[in-house]
Amino acid sequence: MSDDGFFGPPWQMDWTLKAQAARDALPEHVRKLVDAARAELVTAKDPYFRGVEADAGLPDTIRVEGPRVLYFDNYRGWLRYVFMHRVDDPQIVVEEIFWQ
């Protein structure tokens, strides 16, 4: 919780069953890339990365497009997520994951 009484990073993260199954089916080296992308997302001040060049602090292999898609592994994979910014227990929910 921050000084102003609101929750802040690190955010809680959950996966839909379909997204978790897709993540678990990926090769181990890709799961490590997903874990690195996840770490960036849960520690972001604003998981929707609003504003011009809001994702400038992310590693070169991770980019954010729009408010809900995080690309990883140089655009070879992506996570589609939603951020539920509620007062009690805000969290990120990964709805879909893809890697090619």
Side-chain angles (χ1 to χ4, degrees):
M1 188 176 294
S2 67
D3 294 337
D4 59 7
F6 292 101
F7 284 94
W11 307 107
Q12 298 296 318
M13 181 181 258
D14 202 359
W15 300 72
T16 63
L17 292 175
K18 183 178 177 181
Q20 183 67 49
R23 182 215 175 269
D24 292 347
L26 294 171
E28 183 178 352
H29 76 281
V30 178
R31 287 194 307 268
K32 288 180 181 180
L33 295 171
V34 171
D35 291 346
R38 177 198 175 280
E40 293 292 339
L41 192 56
V42 299
T43 58
K45 182 175 173 130
D46 181 357
Y48 278 154
F49 294 93
R50 295 177 184 97
V52 177
E53 303 224 7
D55 63 354
L58 293 174
D60 291 338
T61 59
I62 298 174
R63 290 286 176 252
V64 175
E65 182 177 295
R68 299 175 30 150
V69 179
L70 181 138
Y71 292 97
F72 64 94
D73 195 18
N74 293 310
Y75 291 91
R76 291 186 66 198
W78 47 262
L79 302 173
R80 187 171 55 83
Y81 64 94
V82 62
F83 177 59
M84 291 185 254
H85 191 61
R86 51 190 178 227
V87 176
D88 292 329
D89 195 29
Q91 74 177 39
I92 298 166
V93 176
V94 177
E95 298 175 329
E96 195 170 2
I97 183 171
F98 175 80
W99 182 80
Q100 58 182 358

PDB file of all heavy atoms in Angstrom, residues 63-89:
ATOM      1  N   ARG A  63       7.427  -5.070 -25.237  1.00  0.00           N
ATOM      2  CA  ARG A  63       6.722  -3.855 -25.647  1.00  0.00           C
ATOM      3  C   ARG A  63       5.254  -3.970 -25.276  1.00  0.00           C
ATOM      4  O   ARG A  63       4.711  -5.065 -25.186  1.00  0.00           O
ATOM      5  CB  ARG A  63       6.815  -3.641 -27.168  1.00  0.00           C
ATOM      6  CG  ARG A  63       8.184  -3.270 -27.634  1.00  0.00           C
ATOM      7  CD  ARG A  63       8.485  -1.808 -27.257  1.00  0.00           C
ATOM      8  NE  ARG A  63       9.833  -1.466 -27.610  1.00  0.00           N
ATOM      9  CZ  ARG A  63      10.818  -1.273 -26.740  1.00  0.00           C
ATOM     10  NH1 ARG A  63      10.621  -1.410 -25.466  1.00  0.00           N
ATOM     11  NH2 ARG A  63      12.013  -0.960 -27.139  1.00  0.00           N
ATOM     12  N   VAL A  64       4.624  -2.836 -25.104  1.00  0.00           N
ATOM     13  CA  VAL A  64       3.204  -2.793 -24.788  1.00  0.00           C
ATOM     14  C   VAL A  64       2.488  -2.082 -25.920  1.00  0.00           C
ATOM     15  O   VAL A  64       2.953  -1.051 -26.411  1.00  0.00           O
ATOM     16  CB  VAL A  64       2.948  -2.056 -23.456  1.00  0.00           C
ATOM     17  CG1 VAL A  64       1.468  -1.912 -23.198  1.00  0.00           C
ATOM     18  CG2 VAL A  64       3.624  -2.790 -22.328  1.00  0.00           C
ATOM     19  N   GLU A  65       1.370  -2.652 -26.363  1.00  0.00           N
ATOM     20  CA  GLU A  65       0.563  -2.040 -27.414  1.00  0.00           C
ATOM     21  C   GLU A  65      -0.851  -1.874 -26.888  1.00  0.00           C
ATOM     22  O   GLU A  65      -1.470  -2.851 -26.459  1.00  0.00           O
ATOM     23  CB  GLU A  65       0.553  -2.910 -28.665  1.00  0.00           C
ATOM     24  CG  GLU A  65      -0.239  -2.301 -29.810  1.00  0.00           C
ATOM     25  CD  GLU A  65      -0.152  -3.158 -31.045  1.00  0.00           C
ATOM     26  OE1 GLU A  65       0.967  -3.293 -31.588  1.00  0.00           O
ATOM     27  OE2 GLU A  65      -1.190  -3.710 -31.440  1.00  0.00           O
ATOM     28  N   GLY A  66      -1.333  -0.652 -26.924  1.00  0.00           N
ATOM     29  CA  GLY A  66      -2.660  -0.419 -26.384  1.00  0.00           C
ATOM     30  C   GLY A  66      -2.673  -0.671 -24.889  1.00  0.00           C
ATOM     31  O   GLY A  66      -1.634  -0.837 -24.264  1.00  0.00           O
ATOM     32  N   PRO A  67      -3.844  -0.730 -24.322  1.00  0.00           N
ATOM     33  CA  PRO A  67      -3.908  -0.869 -22.872  1.00  0.00           C
ATOM     34  C   PRO A  67      -3.836  -2.303 -22.361  1.00  0.00           C
ATOM     35  O   PRO A  67      -3.782  -2.505 -21.170  1.00  0.00           O
ATOM     36  CB  PRO A  67      -5.261  -0.261 -22.535  1.00  0.00           C
ATOM     37  CG  PRO A  67      -6.093  -0.537 -23.728  1.00  0.00           C
ATOM     38  CD  PRO A  67      -5.147  -0.435 -24.899  1.00  0.00           C
ATOM     39  N   ARG A  68      -3.839  -3.320 -23.247  1.00  0.00           N
ATOM     40  CA  ARG A  68      -4.000  -4.680 -22.730  1.00  0.00           C
ATOM     41  C   ARG A  68      -3.125  -5.741 -23.367  1.00  0.00           C
ATOM     42  O   ARG A  68      -3.325  -6.921 -23.132  1.00  0.00           O
ATOM     43  CB  ARG A  68      -5.454  -5.120 -22.907  1.00  0.00           C
ATOM     44  CG  ARG A  68      -6.431  -4.263 -22.179  1.00  0.00           C
ATOM     45  CD  ARG A  68      -7.848  -4.649 -22.464  1.00  0.00           C
ATOM     46  NE  ARG A  68      -8.021  -6.050 -22.763  1.00  0.00           N
ATOM     47  CZ  ARG A  68      -9.103  -6.746 -22.506  1.00  0.00           C
ATOM     48  NH1 ARG A  68     -10.104  -6.184 -21.912  1.00  0.00           N
ATOM     49  NH2 ARG A  68      -9.198  -7.996 -22.837  1.00  0.00           N
ATOM     50  N   VAL A  69      -2.162  -5.384 -24.186  1.00  0.00           N
ATOM     51  CA  VAL A  69      -1.327  -6.397 -24.841  1.00  0.00           C
ATOM     52  C   VAL A  69       0.139  -6.105 -24.544  1.00  0.00           C
ATOM     53  O   VAL A  69       0.631  -5.022 -24.796  1.00  0.00           O
ATOM     54  CB  VAL A  69      -1.553  -6.438 -26.365  1.00  0.00           C
ATOM     55  CG1 VAL A  69      -0.652  -7.470 -27.011  1.00  0.00           C
ATOM     56  CG2 VAL A  69      -3.006  -6.722 -26.679  1.00  0.00           C
ATOM     57  N   LEU A  70       0.821  -7.101 -23.992  1.00  0.00           N
ATOM     58  CA  LEU A  70       2.247  -7.013 -23.721  1.00  0.00           C
ATOM     59  C   LEU A  70       2.946  -8.034 -24.613  1.00  0.00           C
ATOM     60  O   LEU A  70       2.641  -9.217 -24.546  1.00  0.00           O
ATOM     61  CB  LEU A  70       2.536  -7.312 -22.252  1.00  0.00           C
ATOM     62  CG  LEU A  70       4.008  -7.224 -21.877  1.00  0.00           C
ATOM     63  CD1 LEU A  70       4.134  -6.517 -20.531  1.00  0.00           C
ATOM     64  CD2 LEU A  70       4.644  -8.587 -21.799  1.00  0.00           C
ATOM     65  N   TYR A  71       3.823  -7.555 -25.484  1.00  0.00           N
ATOM     66  CA  TYR A  71       4.601  -8.433 -26.359  1.00  0.00           C
ATOM     67  C   TYR A  71       5.905  -8.788 -25.680  1.00  0.00           C
ATOM     68  O   TYR A  71       6.510  -7.963 -25.002  1.00  0.00           O
ATOM     69  CB  TYR A  71       4.908  -7.734 -27.688  1.00  0.00           C
ATOM     70  CG  TYR A  71       3.696  -7.507 -28.539  1.00  0.00           C
ATOM     71  CD1 TYR A  71       3.032  -6.292 -28.544  1.00  0.00           C
ATOM     72  CD2 TYR A  71       3.215  -8.524 -29.351  1.00  0.00           C
ATOM     73  CE1 TYR A  71       1.911  -6.089 -29.318  1.00  0.00           C
ATOM     74  CE2 TYR A  71       2.093  -8.330 -30.137  1.00  0.00           C
ATOM     75  CZ  TYR A  71       1.452  -7.111 -30.109  1.00  0.00           C
ATOM     76  OH  TYR A  71       0.339  -6.921 -30.879  1.00  0.00           O
ATOM     77  N   PHE A  72       6.370 -10.023 -25.874  1.00  0.00           N
ATOM     78  CA  PHE A  72       7.655 -10.454 -25.330  1.00  0.00           C
ATOM     79  C   PHE A  72       8.392 -11.249 -26.396  1.00  0.00           C
ATOM     80  O   PHE A  72       7.832 -11.614 -27.426  1.00  0.00           O
ATOM     81  CB  PHE A  72       7.467 -11.269 -24.038  1.00  0.00           C
ATOM     82  CG  PHE A  72       6.726 -12.572 -24.214  1.00  0.00           C
ATOM     83  CD1 PHE A  72       7.419 -13.750 -24.416  1.00  0.00           C
ATOM     84  CD2 PHE A  72       5.342 -12.606 -24.178  1.00  0.00           C
ATOM     85  CE1 PHE A  72       6.735 -14.950 -24.577  1.00  0.00           C
ATOM     86  CE2 PHE A  72       4.657 -13.801 -24.335  1.00  0.00           C
ATOM     87  CZ  PHE A  72       5.351 -14.977 -24.536  1.00  0.00           C
ATOM     88  N   ASP A  73       9.664 -11.494 -26.152  1.00  0.00           N
ATOM     89  CA  ASP A  73      10.521 -12.235 -27.080  1.00  0.00           C
ATOM     90  C   ASP A  73      10.514 -11.601 -28.470  1.00  0.00           C
ATOM     91  O   ASP A  73      10.318 -12.265 -29.482  1.00  0.00           O
ATOM     92  CB  ASP A  73      10.108 -13.708 -27.142  1.00  0.00           C
ATOM     93  CG  ASP A  73      11.156 -14.599 -27.794  1.00  0.00           C
ATOM     94  OD1 ASP A  73      12.323 -14.163 -27.895  1.00  0.00           O
ATOM     95  OD2 ASP A  73      10.812 -15.729 -28.197  1.00  0.00           O
ATOM     96  N   ASN A  74      10.720 -10.280 -28.486  1.00  0.00           N
ATOM     97  CA  ASN A  74      10.782  -9.525 -29.750  1.00  0.00           C
ATOM     98  C   ASN A  74       9.564  -9.771 -30.641  1.00  0.00           C
ATOM     99  O   ASN A  74       9.696 -10.066 -31.822  1.00  0.00           O
ATOM    100  CB  ASN A  74      12.068  -9.853 -30.504  1.00  0.00           C
ATOM    101  CG  ASN A  74      13.280  -9.344 -29.780  1.00  0.00           C
ATOM    102  OD1 ASN A  74      13.334  -8.177 -29.390  1.00  0.00           O
ATOM    103  ND2 ASN A  74      14.248 -10.206 -29.554  1.00  0.00           N
ATOM    104  N   TYR A  75       8.389  -9.662 -30.062  1.00  0.00           N
ATOM    105  CA  TYR A  75       7.104  -9.808 -30.753  1.00  0.00           C
ATOM    106  C   TYR A  75       6.770 -11.240 -31.169  1.00  0.00           C
ATOM    107  O   TYR A  75       5.816 -11.472 -31.877  1.00  0.00           O
ATOM    108  CB  TYR A  75       7.005  -8.895 -31.979  1.00  0.00           C
ATOM    109  CG  TYR A  75       6.912  -7.433 -31.628  1.00  0.00           C
ATOM    110  CD1 TYR A  75       8.053  -6.655 -31.513  1.00  0.00           C
ATOM    111  CD2 TYR A  75       5.685  -6.831 -31.410  1.00  0.00           C
ATOM    112  CE1 TYR A  75       7.984  -5.313 -31.182  1.00  0.00           C
ATOM    113  CE2 TYR A  75       5.603  -5.495 -31.090  1.00  0.00           C
ATOM    114  CZ  TYR A  75       6.747  -4.733 -30.976  1.00  0.00           C
ATOM    115  OH  TYR A  75       6.667  -3.412 -30.636  1.00  0.00           O
ATOM    116  N   ARG A  76       7.521 -12.213 -30.705  1.00  0.00           N
ATOM    117  CA  ARG A  76       7.182 -13.613 -31.023  1.00  0.00           C
ATOM    118  C   ARG A  76       6.048 -14.122 -30.145  1.00  0.00           C
ATOM    119  O   ARG A  76       5.412 -15.121 -30.464  1.00  0.00           O
ATOM    120  CB  ARG A  76       8.411 -14.508 -30.860  1.00  0.00           C
ATOM    121  CG  ARG A  76       9.474 -14.226 -31.920  1.00  0.00           C
ATOM    122  CD  ARG A  76      10.612 -15.188 -31.850  1.00  0.00           C
ATOM    123  NE  ARG A  76      10.135 -16.531 -32.213  1.00  0.00           N
ATOM    124  CZ  ARG A  76      10.791 -17.638 -31.931  1.00  0.00           C
ATOM    125  NH1 ARG A  76      11.930 -17.586 -31.288  1.00  0.00           N
ATOM    126  NH2 ARG A  76      10.316 -18.801 -32.285  1.00  0.00           N
ATOM    127  N   GLY A  77       5.818 -13.463 -29.030  1.00  0.00           N
ATOM    128  CA  GLY A  77       4.743 -13.878 -28.132  1.00  0.00           C
ATOM    129  C   GLY A  77       4.047 -12.679 -27.521  1.00  0.00           C
ATOM    130  O   GLY A  77       4.568 -11.564 -27.550  1.00  0.00           O
ATOM    131  N   TRP A  78       2.853 -12.911 -27.004  1.00  0.00           N
ATOM    132  CA  TRP A  78       2.128 -11.834 -26.349  1.00  0.00           C
ATOM    133  C   TRP A  78       1.225 -12.364 -25.246  1.00  0.00           C
ATOM    134  O   TRP A  78       0.842 -13.526 -25.240  1.00  0.00           O
ATOM    135  CB  TRP A  78       1.323 -10.989 -27.336  1.00  0.00           C
ATOM    136  CG  TRP A  78       0.499 -11.736 -28.336  1.00  0.00           C
ATOM    137  CD1 TRP A  78       0.841 -12.015 -29.628  1.00  0.00           C
ATOM    138  CD2 TRP A  78      -0.804 -12.300 -28.154  1.00  0.00           C
ATOM    139  NE1 TRP A  78      -0.165 -12.713 -30.230  1.00  0.00           N
ATOM    140  CE2 TRP A  78      -1.194 -12.901 -29.360  1.00  0.00           C
ATOM    141  CE3 TRP A  78      -1.692 -12.360 -27.075  1.00  0.00           C
ATOM    142  CZ2 TRP A  78      -2.417 -13.541 -29.520  1.00  0.00           C
ATOM    143  CZ3 TRP A  78      -2.912 -13.005 -27.236  1.00  0.00           C
ATOM    144  CH2 TRP A  78      -3.250 -13.573 -28.456  1.00  0.00           C
ATOM    145  N   LEU A  79       0.947 -11.469 -24.302  1.00  0.00           N
ATOM    146  CA  LEU A  79      -0.020 -11.708 -23.236  1.00  0.00           C
ATOM    147  C   LEU A  79      -1.144 -10.693 -23.411  1.00  0.00           C
ATOM    148  O   LEU A  79      -0.879  -9.515 -23.587  1.00  0.00           O
ATOM    149  CB  LEU A  79       0.589 -11.456 -21.851  1.00  0.00           C
ATOM    150  CG  LEU A  79       1.803 -12.228 -21.414  1.00  0.00           C
ATOM    151  CD1 LEU A  79       2.305 -11.673 -20.087  1.00  0.00           C
ATOM    152  CD2 LEU A  79       1.452 -13.687 -21.249  1.00  0.00           C
ATOM    153  N   ARG A  80      -2.364 -11.154 -23.364  1.00  0.00           N
ATOM    154  CA  ARG A  80      -3.501 -10.227 -23.338  1.00  0.00           C
ATOM    155  C   ARG A  80      -4.039 -10.276 -21.917  1.00  0.00           C
ATOM    156  O   ARG A  80      -4.300 -11.349 -21.385  1.00  0.00           O
ATOM    157  CB  ARG A  80      -4.583 -10.625 -24.338  1.00  0.00           C
ATOM    158  CG  ARG A  80      -5.689  -9.572 -24.454  1.00  0.00           C
ATOM    159  CD  ARG A  80      -6.644  -9.856 -25.591  1.00  0.00           C
ATOM    160  NE  ARG A  80      -7.251 -11.165 -25.533  1.00  0.00           N
ATOM    161  CZ  ARG A  80      -8.320 -11.480 -24.802  1.00  0.00           C
ATOM    162  NH1 ARG A  80      -8.893 -10.583 -24.039  1.00  0.00           N
ATOM    163  NH2 ARG A  80      -8.804 -12.704 -24.826  1.00  0.00           N
ATOM    164  N   TYR A  81      -4.172  -9.119 -21.297  1.00  0.00           N
ATOM    165  CA  TYR A  81      -4.531  -9.066 -19.888  1.00  0.00           C
ATOM    166  C   TYR A  81      -5.509  -7.932 -19.610  1.00  0.00           C
ATOM    167  O   TYR A  81      -5.723  -7.047 -20.433  1.00  0.00           O
ATOM    168  CB  TYR A  81      -3.278  -8.883 -19.025  1.00  0.00           C
ATOM    169  CG  TYR A  81      -2.569  -7.567 -19.262  1.00  0.00           C
ATOM    170  CD1 TYR A  81      -2.836  -6.464 -18.463  1.00  0.00           C
ATOM    171  CD2 TYR A  81      -1.655  -7.421 -20.283  1.00  0.00           C
ATOM    172  CE1 TYR A  81      -2.196  -5.248 -18.683  1.00  0.00           C
ATOM    173  CE2 TYR A  81      -1.012  -6.224 -20.520  1.00  0.00           C
ATOM    174  CZ  TYR A  81      -1.286  -5.145 -19.708  1.00  0.00           C
ATOM    175  OH  TYR A  81      -0.653  -3.948 -19.937  1.00  0.00           O
ATOM    176  N   VAL A  82      -6.075  -7.966 -18.437  1.00  0.00           N
ATOM    177  CA  VAL A  82      -6.920  -6.887 -17.949  1.00  0.00           C
ATOM    178  C   VAL A  82      -6.438  -6.552 -16.544  1.00  0.00           C
ATOM    179  O   VAL A  82      -6.006  -7.436 -15.799  1.00  0.00           O
ATOM    180  CB  VAL A  82      -8.417  -7.278 -17.969  1.00  0.00           C
ATOM    181  CG1 VAL A  82      -8.696  -8.451 -17.055  1.00  0.00           C
ATOM    182  CG2 VAL A  82      -9.299  -6.104 -17.616  1.00  0.00           C
ATOM    183  N   PHE A  83      -6.461  -5.275 -16.215  1.00  0.00           N
ATOM    184  CA  PHE A  83      -6.072  -4.831 -14.885  1.00  0.00           C
ATOM    185  C   PHE A  83      -7.321  -4.378 -14.147  1.00  0.00           C
ATOM    186  O   PHE A  83      -8.003  -3.462 -14.579  1.00  0.00           O
ATOM    187  CB  PHE A  83      -5.061  -3.692 -14.982  1.00  0.00           C
ATOM    188  CG  PHE A  83      -4.655  -3.128 -13.643  1.00  0.00           C
ATOM    189  CD1 PHE A  83      -4.083  -3.947 -12.690  1.00  0.00           C
ATOM    190  CD2 PHE A  83      -4.831  -1.797 -13.355  1.00  0.00           C
ATOM    191  CE1 PHE A  83      -3.694  -3.442 -11.455  1.00  0.00           C
ATOM    192  CE2 PHE A  83      -4.448  -1.279 -12.133  1.00  0.00           C
ATOM    193  CZ  PHE A  83      -3.877  -2.102 -11.183  1.00  0.00           C
ATOM    194  N   MET A  84      -7.632  -5.060 -13.060  1.00  0.00           N
ATOM    195  CA  MET A  84      -8.797  -4.700 -12.252  1.00  0.00           C
ATOM    196  C   MET A  84      -8.309  -3.800 -11.131  1.00  0.00           C
ATOM    197  O   MET A  84      -7.748  -4.278 -10.143  1.00  0.00           O
ATOM    198  CB  MET A  84      -9.474  -5.955 -11.721  1.00  0.00           C
ATOM    199  CG  MET A  84     -10.127  -6.753 -12.824  1.00  0.00           C
ATOM    200  SD  MET A  84     -11.038  -8.131 -12.170  1.00  0.00           S
ATOM    201  CE  MET A  84      -9.937  -9.449 -12.644  1.00  0.00           C
ATOM    202  N   HIS A  85      -8.482  -2.499 -11.324  1.00  0.00           N
ATOM    203  CA  HIS A  85      -7.961  -1.503 -10.390  1.00  0.00           C
ATOM    204  C   HIS A  85      -9.025  -1.160  -9.346  1.00  0.00           C
ATOM    205  O   HIS A  85      -9.590  -0.092  -9.330  1.00  0.00           O
ATOM    206  CB  HIS A  85      -7.519  -0.253 -11.151  1.00  0.00           C
ATOM    207  CG  HIS A  85      -6.732   0.691 -10.308  1.00  0.00           C
ATOM    208  ND1 HIS A  85      -5.542   0.333  -9.727  1.00  0.00           N
ATOM    209  CD2 HIS A  85      -6.966   1.962  -9.932  1.00  0.00           C
ATOM    210  CE1 HIS A  85      -5.065   1.360  -9.049  1.00  0.00           C
ATOM    211  NE2 HIS A  85      -5.906   2.354  -9.146  1.00  0.00           N
ATOM    212  N   ARG A  86      -9.308  -2.127  -8.516  1.00  0.00           N
ATOM    213  CA  ARG A  86     -10.273  -1.896  -7.445  1.00  0.00           C
ATOM    214  C   ARG A  86      -9.514  -1.506  -6.180  1.00  0.00           C
ATOM    215  O   ARG A  86      -8.317  -1.756  -6.060  1.00  0.00           O
ATOM    216  CB  ARG A  86     -11.127  -3.141  -7.228  1.00  0.00           C
ATOM    217  CG  ARG A  86     -10.314  -4.386  -7.054  1.00  0.00           C
ATOM    218  CD  ARG A  86     -11.176  -5.618  -7.085  1.00  0.00           C
ATOM    219  NE  ARG A  86     -10.294  -6.770  -6.945  1.00  0.00           N
ATOM    220  CZ  ARG A  86     -10.354  -7.831  -7.692  1.00  0.00           C
ATOM    221  NH1 ARG A  86     -11.275  -7.949  -8.605  1.00  0.00           N
ATOM    222  NH2 ARG A  86      -9.512  -8.815  -7.517  1.00  0.00           N
ATOM    223  N   VAL A  87     -10.215  -0.900  -5.245  1.00  0.00           N
ATOM    224  CA  VAL A  87      -9.568  -0.424  -4.031  1.00  0.00           C
ATOM    225  C   VAL A  87      -9.008  -1.584  -3.217  1.00  0.00           C
ATOM    226  O   VAL A  87      -7.871  -1.551  -2.768  1.00  0.00           O
ATOM    227  CB  VAL A  87     -10.547   0.415  -3.183  1.00  0.00           C
ATOM    228  CG1 VAL A  87      -9.913   0.819  -1.871  1.00  0.00           C
ATOM    229  CG2 VAL A  87     -10.986   1.643  -3.954  1.00  0.00           C
ATOM    230  N   ASP A  88      -9.791  -2.623  -3.020  1.00  0.00           N
ATOM    231  CA  ASP A  88      -9.323  -3.796  -2.288  1.00  0.00           C
ATOM    232  C   ASP A  88      -8.807  -4.835  -3.272  1.00  0.00           C
ATOM    233  O   ASP A  88      -9.523  -5.248  -4.170  1.00  0.00           O
ATOM    234  CB  ASP A  88     -10.450  -4.425  -1.460  1.00  0.00           C
ATOM    235  CG  ASP A  88     -10.880  -3.533  -0.318  1.00  0.00           C
ATOM    236  OD1 ASP A  88     -10.025  -2.791   0.198  1.00  0.00           O
ATOM    237  OD2 ASP A  88     -12.065  -3.563   0.043  1.00  0.00           O
ATOM    238  N   ASP A  89      -7.558  -5.220  -3.100  1.00  0.00           N
ATOM    239  CA  ASP A  89      -6.951  -6.292  -3.878  1.00  0.00           C
ATOM    240  C   ASP A  89      -6.972  -6.066  -5.387  1.00  0.00           C
ATOM    241  O   ASP A  89      -7.521  -6.866  -6.141  1.00  0.00           O
ATOM    242  CB  ASP A  89      -7.623  -7.629  -3.532  1.00  0.00           C
ATOM    243  CG  ASP A  89      -6.817  -8.816  -4.013  1.00  0.00           C
ATOM    244  OD1 ASP A  89      -5.577  -8.693  -4.095  1.00  0.00           O
ATOM    245  OD2 ASP A  89      -7.422  -9.852  -4.322  1.00  0.00           O
TER     246      ASP A  89
END
